[in-house]
């Protein structure tokens, strides 16, 4: 009986203690001095240009920082940090070919959409966090790209933004 009473007292204590704790699962290691960031517009300098890619990428990056950190996104060159860069590559390449018959050339069975972004991150709060790096992500698809291009772009942009956020704020 005494053991049961001790067990219940211990469990009650643990439950009360756990109510006062908070856990952050995004893993961001942001220096406390880093309060503001200026995200510059990422121009599309790729040979093949999609009209909305620059705007979509820049806004996705801003939204990720707003939603996953306490940093304020500002339009001020005097911000604690600056992220700039450009979209340097947008390509569609075949990844597998299919032979149709002996008298006709093979055709692409699957293709790959790849997007490369060059990113420069500069902060005065901790110079070890500064970097300039290219990030590339891709997604494979079958058939004509026109009906699914925007969905593919959204998926690739999300992956790129994840990698950039992790590099800047999680030291990955």
């Amino acid at each position: 009986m005494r053991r049961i009473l001790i067990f219940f007292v211990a469990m009650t204590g643990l439950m009360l203690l756990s109510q006062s704790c908070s856990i952050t699962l995004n893993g961001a290691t942001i220096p406390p001095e880093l309060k503001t960031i200026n995200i510059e517009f990422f121009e599309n300098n790729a040979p093949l240009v999609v009209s909305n890619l620059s705007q979509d990428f820049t806004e996705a990056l801003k939204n990720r920082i707003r939603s996953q950190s306490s940093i304020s996104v500002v339009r001020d060159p005097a911000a604690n940090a600056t992220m700039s860069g450009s979209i340097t590559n947008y390509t569609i390449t075949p990844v597998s070919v299919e032979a149709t018959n002996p008298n006709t050339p093979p055709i692409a069975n699957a293709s790959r959409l790849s997007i490369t972004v060059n990113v420069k991150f500069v902060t005065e709060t901790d110079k070890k966090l500064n970097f300039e790096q290219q990030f590339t992500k891709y997604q494979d698809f079958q058939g004509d790209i026109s009906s699914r291009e925007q969905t593919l772009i959204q998926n690739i942009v999300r992956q790129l933004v994840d990698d950039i956020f992790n590099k800047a704020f999680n030291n990955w």
Side-chain angles (χ1 to χ4, degrees):
M1 180 72 165
R2 186 176 176 143
R3 282 184 160 187
I4 294 173
L5 181 61
I6 292 172
F7 175 75
F8 281 119
V9 169
M11 289 304 291
T12 304
L14 283 174
M15 288 192 309
L16 290 173
L17 237 159
S18 68
Q19 294 294 323
S20 64
C21 297
S22 66
I23 298 172
T24 303
L25 297 177
N26 67 6
T29 54
I30 301 168
E33 312 84 48
L34 186 57
K35 305 257 187 248
T36 59
I37 187 167
N38 180 25
I39 307 286
E40 295 181 3
F41 185 74
F42 281 74
E43 289 193 33
N44 192 343
N45 296 328
L48 182 59
V49 176
V50 175
S51 62
N52 62 328
L53 181 57
S54 291
Q55 183 70 32
D56 290 351
F57 176 79
T58 304
E59 288 305 313
L61 188 56
K62 288 178 181 180
N63 289 336
R64 175 66 189 265
I65 291 171
R66 282 186 195 113
S67 68
Q68 297 292 315
S69 74
S70 60
I71 301 172
S72 297
V73 177
V74 297
R75 297 181 113 205
D76 184 0
N80 300 120
T82 302
M83 197 171 287
S84 60
S86 62
I87 299 164
T88 58
N89 202 10
Y90 181 96
T91 57
I92 301 168
T93 55
V95 290
S96 70
V97 291
E98 177 180 291
T100 52
N101 67 47
N103 297 331
T104 59
I107 58 172
N109 185 30
S111 299
R112 175 172 292 167
L113 173 60
S114 300
I115 300 175
T116 302
V117 181
N118 188 53
V119 178
K120 183 176 183 180
F121 178 73
V122 178
T123 180
E124 297 299 320
T125 60
D126 187 355
K127 293 199 184 269
K128 292 181 286 184
L129 298 175
N130 294 352
F131 67 88
E132 184 167 2
Q133 181 178 330
Q134 282 195 339
F135 296 86
T136 301
K137 287 295 177 187
Y138 64 87
Q139 217 171 15
D140 295 342
F141 64 95
Q142 291 183 327
D144 185 29
I145 191 169
S146 61
S147 64
R148 58 183 79 126
E149 185 173 25
Q150 290 305 312
T151 303
L152 291 168
I153 289 172
Q154 288 174 356
N155 292 339
I156 295 170
V157 164
R158 187 177 4 82
Q159 293 171 12
L160 286 166
V161 166
D162 286 348
D163 285 357
I164 295 164
F165 183 86
N166 287 335
K167 174 68 176 174
F169 303 115
N170 294 333
N171 299 322
W172 288 4

XYZ file of all heavy atoms in Angstrom, residues 40-85:
351
model
N 16.655 39.577 -49.172
C 16.612 40.273 -50.458
C 15.902 39.409 -51.497
O 15.832 38.185 -51.364
C 18.028 40.628 -50.905
C 18.691 41.628 -49.971
C 20.087 42.018 -50.416
O 20.547 41.561 -51.492
O 20.734 42.778 -49.676
N 15.404 40.045 -52.530
C 14.696 39.349 -53.602
C 15.683 38.458 -54.366
O 16.748 38.912 -54.789
C 14.052 40.368 -54.546
C 13.199 39.754 -55.608
C 11.955 39.230 -55.296
C 13.631 39.698 -56.926
C 11.162 38.662 -56.274
C 12.841 39.135 -57.900
C 11.602 38.608 -57.581
N 15.334 37.194 -54.541
C 16.175 36.234 -55.268
C 15.793 36.278 -56.743
O 14.755 35.744 -57.131
C 15.979 34.824 -54.699
C 16.732 34.585 -53.429
C 16.313 35.154 -52.230
C 17.873 33.806 -53.423
C 17.008 34.932 -51.056
C 18.578 33.584 -52.250
C 18.150 34.156 -51.060
N 16.635 36.923 -57.542
C 16.356 37.028 -58.974
C 16.597 35.697 -59.659
O 17.452 34.918 -59.256
C 17.231 38.102 -59.609
C 16.826 39.491 -59.201
C 17.486 40.542 -60.060
O 17.716 40.292 -61.254
O 17.759 41.611 -59.510
N 15.845 35.473 -60.731
C 15.984 34.253 -61.510
C 16.963 34.520 -62.651
O 16.618 35.150 -63.642
C 14.625 33.799 -62.045
C 14.671 32.399 -62.608
O 15.739 31.869 -62.885
N 13.512 31.800 -62.777
N 18.184 34.046 -62.496
C 19.225 34.198 -63.515
C 19.457 32.903 -64.284
O 20.462 32.768 -64.975
C 20.536 34.653 -62.859
C 20.401 36.013 -62.225
O 19.642 36.856 -62.696
N 21.114 36.236 -61.142
N 18.560 31.956 -64.159
C 18.689 30.679 -64.861
C 18.450 30.886 -66.353
O 17.703 31.790 -66.751
C 17.685 29.677 -64.306
N 19.058 30.052 -67.185
C 18.815 30.161 -68.629
C 17.346 29.946 -69.006
O 16.840 30.572 -69.927
C 19.692 29.062 -69.231
C 20.730 28.787 -68.197
C 20.092 29.069 -66.878
N 16.663 29.073 -68.288
C 15.237 28.827 -68.506
C 14.492 29.490 -67.352
O 14.686 29.138 -66.196
C 14.960 27.321 -68.533
C 13.529 26.869 -68.808
C 13.043 27.380 -70.155
C 13.440 25.355 -68.760
N 13.652 30.484 -67.656
C 13.018 31.298 -66.617
C 11.537 30.972 -66.516
O 10.828 30.943 -67.509
C 13.203 32.807 -66.916
C 12.458 33.649 -65.898
C 14.682 33.167 -66.922
N 11.087 30.735 -65.284
C 9.670 30.589 -64.972
C 9.272 31.879 -64.264
O 9.905 32.280 -63.280
C 9.414 29.361 -64.073
C 7.964 29.285 -63.656
C 9.835 28.102 -64.797
N 8.226 32.519 -64.742
C 7.908 33.879 -64.306
C 7.684 34.044 -62.806
O 8.081 35.038 -62.223
C 6.699 34.402 -65.073
O 5.571 33.589 -64.809
N 7.056 33.113 -62.139
C 6.722 33.290 -60.730
C 7.727 32.650 -59.761
O 7.544 32.728 -58.552
C 5.326 32.733 -60.442
C 5.242 31.242 -60.701
O 5.906 30.706 -61.583
N 4.411 30.560 -59.939
N 8.773 32.037 -60.257
C 9.700 31.291 -59.400
C 10.427 32.194 -58.401
O 10.530 31.854 -57.219
C 10.705 30.508 -60.246
C 11.715 29.654 -59.483
C 11.012 28.658 -58.571
C 12.634 28.935 -60.462
N 10.916 33.346 -58.832
C 11.633 34.248 -57.930
C 10.754 34.691 -56.773
O 11.157 34.650 -55.612
C 12.131 35.486 -58.685
O 13.148 35.143 -59.573
N 9.551 35.131 -57.101
C 8.625 35.607 -56.068
C 8.233 34.468 -55.118
O 8.240 34.642 -53.904
C 7.374 36.197 -56.727
C 6.383 36.788 -55.757
C 6.896 38.057 -55.114
O 7.636 38.813 -55.726
N 6.511 38.281 -53.871
N 7.895 33.311 -55.673
C 7.498 32.172 -54.844
C 8.615 31.734 -53.898
O 8.376 31.460 -52.720
C 7.072 30.987 -55.716
C 5.762 31.224 -56.442
O 5.082 32.229 -56.145
O 5.429 30.403 -57.321
N 9.844 31.671 -54.421
C 10.968 31.244 -53.593
C 11.247 32.250 -52.480
O 11.393 31.874 -51.317
C 12.231 31.042 -54.441
C 13.420 30.694 -53.607
C 13.592 29.403 -53.141
C 14.334 31.660 -53.247
C 14.663 29.082 -52.325
C 15.411 31.350 -52.435
C 15.576 30.058 -51.976
N 11.310 33.531 -52.818
C 11.601 34.565 -51.823
C 10.547 34.580 -50.723
O 10.877 34.634 -49.532
C 11.699 35.952 -52.498
O 12.685 35.906 -53.543
C 12.078 37.023 -51.504
N 9.280 34.486 -51.097
C 8.200 34.500 -50.095
C 8.215 33.241 -49.237
O 7.951 33.300 -48.041
C 6.844 34.686 -50.767
C 6.632 36.089 -51.309
C 6.821 37.181 -50.271
O 6.268 37.054 -49.152
O 7.533 38.156 -50.569
N 8.517 32.092 -49.828
C 8.584 30.846 -49.054
C 9.697 30.918 -48.014
O 9.529 30.461 -46.875
C 8.793 29.657 -49.988
N 10.825 31.501 -48.384
C 11.941 31.653 -47.447
C 11.560 32.589 -46.298
O 11.811 32.293 -45.126
C 13.166 32.170 -48.190
C 14.477 32.217 -47.434
C 14.840 30.864 -46.865
C 15.584 32.720 -48.355
N 10.922 33.702 -46.621
C 10.464 34.634 -45.579
C 9.456 33.964 -44.647
O 9.551 34.096 -43.419
C 9.821 35.870 -46.212
C 10.791 36.803 -46.879
C 10.032 37.968 -47.512
C 10.949 38.926 -48.219
N 10.212 40.058 -48.827
N 8.507 33.258 -45.225
C 7.476 32.596 -44.411
C 8.074 31.547 -43.481
O 7.637 31.390 -42.343
C 6.402 31.976 -45.295
C 5.523 33.016 -45.944
O 5.394 34.140 -45.454
N 4.932 32.663 -47.069
N 9.049 30.812 -43.960
C 9.687 29.783 -43.120
C 10.386 30.417 -41.929
O 10.279 29.941 -40.799
C 10.673 28.957 -43.961
C 11.478 27.948 -43.160
C 10.567 26.851 -42.594
N 11.257 26.008 -41.671
C 11.838 24.848 -41.982
N 11.763 24.387 -43.209
N 12.461 24.154 -41.079
N 11.082 31.509 -42.161
C 11.789 32.180 -41.070
C 10.797 32.775 -40.081
O 10.967 32.675 -38.871
C 12.768 33.231 -41.623
C 13.908 32.508 -42.343
C 13.299 34.132 -40.519
C 14.830 33.395 -43.125
N 9.720 33.366 -40.596
C 8.690 33.936 -39.708
C 8.032 32.859 -38.850
O 7.781 33.063 -37.670
C 7.603 34.627 -40.533
C 7.971 35.980 -41.037
C 6.758 36.635 -41.711
N 7.170 37.767 -42.486
C 7.107 37.850 -43.811
N 6.610 36.861 -44.516
N 7.522 38.934 -44.426
N 7.726 31.712 -39.444
C 6.956 30.689 -38.733
C 7.813 29.777 -37.857
O 7.301 29.199 -36.908
C 6.156 29.840 -39.729
O 7.024 29.061 -40.523
N 9.097 29.633 -38.149
C 9.929 28.682 -37.417
C 10.989 29.338 -36.536
O 11.855 28.641 -36.005
C 10.628 27.735 -38.397
C 9.684 26.888 -39.191
C 8.958 25.878 -38.329
O 9.547 25.213 -37.495
N 7.660 25.776 -38.517
N 10.946 30.673 -36.414
C 11.931 31.346 -35.575
C 11.306 32.596 -34.971
O 10.205 32.995 -35.336
C 13.177 31.720 -36.389
O 12.898 32.813 -37.239
N 12.049 33.216 -34.076
C 11.590 34.469 -33.467
C 12.178 35.684 -34.174
O 12.011 36.806 -33.717
C 11.981 34.485 -31.985
O 13.392 34.390 -31.869
N 12.847 35.464 -35.282
C 13.487 36.551 -36.030
C 12.427 37.312 -36.826
O 11.571 36.715 -37.478
C 14.562 35.997 -36.987
C 15.608 35.231 -36.201
C 15.200 37.113 -37.787
C 16.601 34.499 -37.078
N 12.525 38.634 -36.795
C 11.628 39.479 -37.582
C 12.229 39.707 -38.964
O 13.405 40.076 -39.091
C 11.429 40.836 -36.906
O 10.817 40.683 -35.654
N 11.437 39.479 -39.993
C 11.865 39.737 -41.359
C 11.570 41.205 -41.654
O 10.422 41.640 -41.567
C 11.142 38.814 -42.363
C 11.553 39.144 -43.780
C 11.434 37.350 -42.040
N 12.617 41.969 -41.964
C 12.483 43.407 -42.195
C 13.099 43.777 -43.535
O 13.912 43.048 -44.079
C 13.149 44.223 -41.060
C 12.465 43.966 -39.731
C 14.630 43.917 -40.956
N 12.699 44.941 -44.041
C 13.310 45.488 -45.258
C 14.233 46.616 -44.838
O 13.895 47.783 -44.961
C 12.231 45.997 -46.199
C 11.318 44.907 -46.688
C 10.298 45.468 -47.636
N 10.592 44.922 -48.940
C 10.275 45.473 -50.076
N 9.629 46.608 -50.113
N 10.582 44.896 -51.221
N 15.365 46.230 -44.268
C 16.284 47.216 -43.721
C 17.708 46.693 -43.872
O 18.043 45.646 -43.320
C 15.950 47.451 -42.241
C 16.800 48.531 -41.605
O 17.657 49.126 -42.291
O 16.604 48.784 -40.403
N 18.562 47.421 -44.598
C 19.952 46.970 -44.749
C 20.717 46.916 -43.425
O 21.743 46.282 -43.333
C 20.576 48.003 -45.687
C 19.455 48.794 -46.247
C 18.268 48.613 -45.382
N 20.191 47.575 -42.381
C 20.850 47.574 -41.077
C 20.368 46.427 -40.191
O 20.615 46.429 -38.988
C 20.604 48.909 -40.383
N 19.679 45.447 -40.762
C 19.205 44.291 -39.996
C 20.400 43.518 -39.441
O 21.521 43.650 -39.934
C 18.346 43.397 -40.876
N 20.146 42.685 -38.423
C 21.215 41.882 -37.815
C 21.808 40.858 -38.778
O 22.938 40.419 -38.592
C 20.708 41.141 -36.582
C 20.199 42.064 -35.509
O 19.049 41.980 -35.143
N 21.033 42.949 -35.002
N 21.033 40.459 -39.784
C 21.510 39.488 -40.773
C 20.889 39.810 -42.126
O 19.836 40.443 -42.202
C 21.139 38.074 -40.357
N 21.554 39.348 -43.170
C 21.053 39.520 -44.532
C 21.185 38.206 -45.275
O 22.207 37.519 -45.173
C 21.851 40.607 -45.290
O 21.755 41.833 -44.575
C 21.325 40.801 -46.690
N 20.136 37.856 -46.014
C 20.181 36.688 -46.875
C 19.892 37.169 -48.295
O 18.881 37.822 -48.541
C 19.162 35.641 -46.425
C 19.439 34.266 -47.005
S 18.407 32.962 -46.307
C 19.111 32.755 -44.687
N 20.794 36.845 -49.195
C 20.648 37.278 -50.581
C 21.084 36.147 -51.500
O 21.617 35.138 -51.045
C 21.501 38.528 -50.838
O 22.868 38.242 -50.581
N 20.869 36.348 -52.783
C 21.291 35.339 -53.748
C 20.465 35.376 -54.991
O 19.774 36.367 -55.277
